[in-house]
Each structure stands twice: as structure tokens, then as C-alpha cells.
Amino acid sequence: MKRTITIITVLVTQFALANELMAASSVREDTSMFLVWMFLGMCALIVIVQLMPAMFLIFGMLKSLFPSNKQSPVNLQANGEK
Amino acid sequence: MSSKIKIYLQPTPVRIWHWLNALGIITLCVTAVQIRFPEHVHLFANYKAAILLHNAAGLVVTFSFTLWFIYYALVRRNMVDVYIPSVDDIQNGLLRQAKFYMLTYFLGWANPHHPTPDNKFNPMQKSAYLAIMFLLVPLVSLTGLLLTNLSPMRDLVLLVGGLKILIAIHFLLACSLCAFLFTHVYLATLGKTPMAYIKPMWTGWEEEDEDHHPHSAS
């Protein structure tokens, strides 16, 4: 019984220490690339925002090229349909 | 009372180039301060972070410069009209525009230059952009690329005069570009309202008085 308690104590201590070590390693992680990704994200945002009017225009043109078959209630009345 | 007309002055590729350039050059200036004076300036977490961001911004500015060149030289093919000052620009336009910026603007007179898609810039802008886009930006990009990759182009670095000379050239060119940035922002606010020249660079459309526009009926 005493031997089991000793083994459990050693294991718990080791896990606790391992956890500390992992926490320490994550703190020391190099975060230099974070600013670069943030900068590149801003660049992508500029490109997307500037391209949005062109995308809306293309979407509108495509929509007018392929009109939906669904008729509006006004058109249905004009055609004498109920 | 004159009516307003809208001119599509800044197409999408030019707007993308301009704002990428703006973000890139401001980032380059800020990171450069820490790289140049690491013992006094601590804007970023560490020196490596400043270097990495500086390199990324430099590559973005070089890429956007290439986009600008391809657009004007190969797509629109009006680079000469837009960026090269004419004889009249040099003989009369420069003085006329300088007089506006230094005197008549403060008396409330109208800007003597009225932009069109093929003649966007006034004579002073043309002269400044000629030096910046055909000399400063290519040289600062080239020296920056050489400093980023020293070993593959070692012979070229030695041809320039060595690493110290290359760093000095890069630094002085960058200082000129940074000085231009302040002038550029100040002059951009000299429209009818402070945002009158900045808004078209974001939306593409500029509002002009119809009686001033060369293509108007009057």
C-alpha cells in the first residue's frame, strides 16, 4: 500500500511539473510572425474592400443574365392569372 | 450656380496599389525607426519582430509597385501622359501651380488644374511623382532586396561599394520617401474640403464643377 502511494505521489508530482514546463514553453514561444500576419491581413482587407464594388457589379450582371422564372404578383395579375 | 459632375478618376487597380503602398510605407517607416535605433526605440516586442515586419512590408510595397507599373505601362498604356510633364507643364504649369499652393490657395482661389483620367496630376505632382515612382521607389526597393538577400547578390553589393554604402543609400532614399509622405498628406487636404482629394482615392469618383471640366458642354 505504502509503495502504491509513493508511486502515485511521484507520478502526480511529475505531471504537475510537466504541466509547469509546458506552460513555460508556451510563454517563451516566438510571436514575431504574429505582426507579419496581422499586416498581411490588413493588406488582404484593403484588396477585398476595394474589389467589393466590382464583385457586386459582376453579381448584378449575372443576375440580370439569368432571371428567375418566379413571376411577381403584379405580373401575375397583368397576365390574368390567379 | 454651377452643377457638379462625377469623373471616374481612380480605377480599382490604382486604388489597391495606392492603399497597399500607404500601409506598406507607413509600416516601413515605423519599423525602420526601431531597426535603426534599437537601443532607444522599443515599439515592437523585439528586434526580430521589427525586422520581419519591415521585410514583409518591403515585399508588399515592391509587389504593389510592380502592379502599378504593369497597369500603367501594359494595360492603360498612358504612363507617359499621366506621369511625364509636358513642355507647357515645365514652362508655365510648375510656376502656376506653385503660386496656387503658396499664395492663391490662401486667398480662396480655385485650383488651376482640373483632373481628367488621362491628365490626373498637376505639373508639380507630375514632377514629384516622376522622381518618386521612377527613381526613389525602384532604388529603395532594390537596395532593400539586396539587404534582405546578401549572399546571392554579393557581387552586386560589392559593386555598389559594400554593405555600409548600401545601407547608407537605402537609409537616405527611405528618408526622402518619408519626407514626401508628410508633403503628400498635407497637399491631399488642400481640396474644397479636407477629404475632397482623399475620398476619390477610396471610392474612385471625383466631383468636379461642370464649368471647369474640359469635356462639359459649356
Side-chain angles (χ1 to χ4, degrees):
Chain A
M1 182 67 186
K2 201 176 176 184
R3 195 182 161 140
T4 315
I5 290 170
T6 314
I7 290 169
I8 289 170
T9 313
V10 168
L11 280 174
V12 166
T13 317
Q14 284 214 330
F15 279 129
L17 282 174
N19 196 29
E20 290 265 318
L21 283 171
M22 273 192 259
S25 69
S26 68
V27 168
R28 281 175 201 163
E29 200 176 286
D30 186 13
T31 53
S32 305
M33 282 305 284
F34 172 73
L35 285 173
V36 173
W37 289 117
M38 220 169 80
F39 170 75
L40 293 176
M42 288 283 284
C43 291
L45 195 69
I46 288 173
V47 174
I48 290 166
V49 170
Q50 286 297 336
L51 284 176
M52 264 162 80
M55 285 192 288
F56 284 137
L57 190 74
I58 292 167
F59 183 71
M61 280 164 70
L62 286 174
K63 214 175 161 185
S64 64
L65 275 176
F66 306 104
S68 62
N69 293 327
K70 211 174 171 182
Q71 282 187 314
S72 67
V74 179
N75 288 345
L76 286 172
Q77 276 184 353
N79 295 339
E81 293 173 32
K82 284 186 183 176
Chain B
M1 196 180 141
S2 62
S3 58
K4 301 268 184 193
I5 54 162
K6 277 191 162 186
I7 317 161
Y8 189 57
L9 205 60
Q10 310 293 358
T12 309
V14 175
R15 298 198 312 266
I16 291 174
W17 157 75
H18 179 270
W19 292 113
L20 284 182
N21 228 18
L23 179 68
I25 290 175
I26 291 168
T27 311
L28 282 169
C29 290
V30 175
T31 48
V33 177
Q34 182 159 347
I35 294 168
R36 188 73 184 172
F37 309 105
E39 63 278 12
H40 303 296
V41 181
H42 306 281
L43 293 166
F44 302 97
N46 51 46
Y47 190 73
K48 192 187 166 191
I51 293 269
L52 282 173
L53 189 56
H54 193 81
N55 289 350
L59 286 173
V60 166
V61 169
T62 309
F63 168 77
S64 71
F65 175 80
T66 314
L67 177 80
W68 166 84
F69 189 83
I70 290 172
Y71 178 76
Y72 276 112
L74 305 174
V75 180
R76 284 298 296 265
R77 292 167 187 261
N78 65 349
M79 189 176 255
V80 174
D81 297 332
V82 173
Y83 282 92
I84 313 289
S86 64
V87 178
D88 182 58
D89 283 337
I90 296 164
Q91 284 177 344
N92 309 309
L94 277 174
L95 203 67
R96 191 171 54 227
Q97 201 63 38
K99 192 179 142 196
F100 169 72
Y101 283 138
M102 287 193 276
L103 179 72
T104 56
Y105 168 77
F106 299 102
L107 300 172
W109 291 21
N111 193 330
H113 178 76
H114 301 286
T116 62
D118 282 329
N119 189 21
K120 279 195 246 188
F121 304 130
N122 66 51
M124 279 183 82
Q125 279 177 308
K126 277 185 187 175
S127 314
Y129 293 151
L130 186 69
I132 287 155
M133 296 310 291
F134 294 90
L135 200 75
L136 268 183
V137 177
L139 280 178
V140 86
S141 302
L142 185 69
T143 51
L145 284 172
L146 282 175
L147 287 168
T148 318
N149 302 290
L150 275 174
S151 2
M153 290 176 273
R154 199 171 167 270
D155 293 337
L156 198 60
V157 176
L158 290 172
L159 193 76
V160 173
L163 193 58
K164 278 191 174 177
I165 301 285
L166 189 68
I167 291 171
I169 293 170
H170 186 73
F171 179 71
L172 289 173
L173 290 169
C175 286
S176 314
L177 212 56
C178 188
F180 162 75
L181 202 68
F182 289 99
T183 319
H184 183 65
V185 173
Y186 167 65
L187 293 177
T189 60
L190 296 188
K192 278 184 179 165
T193 62
M195 293 300 284
Y197 293 153
I198 298 168
K199 212 175 136 195
M201 195 38 101
W202 187 256
T203 61
W205 293 90
E206 177 153 321
E207 269 190 359
E208 268 275 304
D209 288 335
E210 198 167 15
D211 50 357
H212 284 151
H213 196 256
H215 299 303
S216 62
S218 56

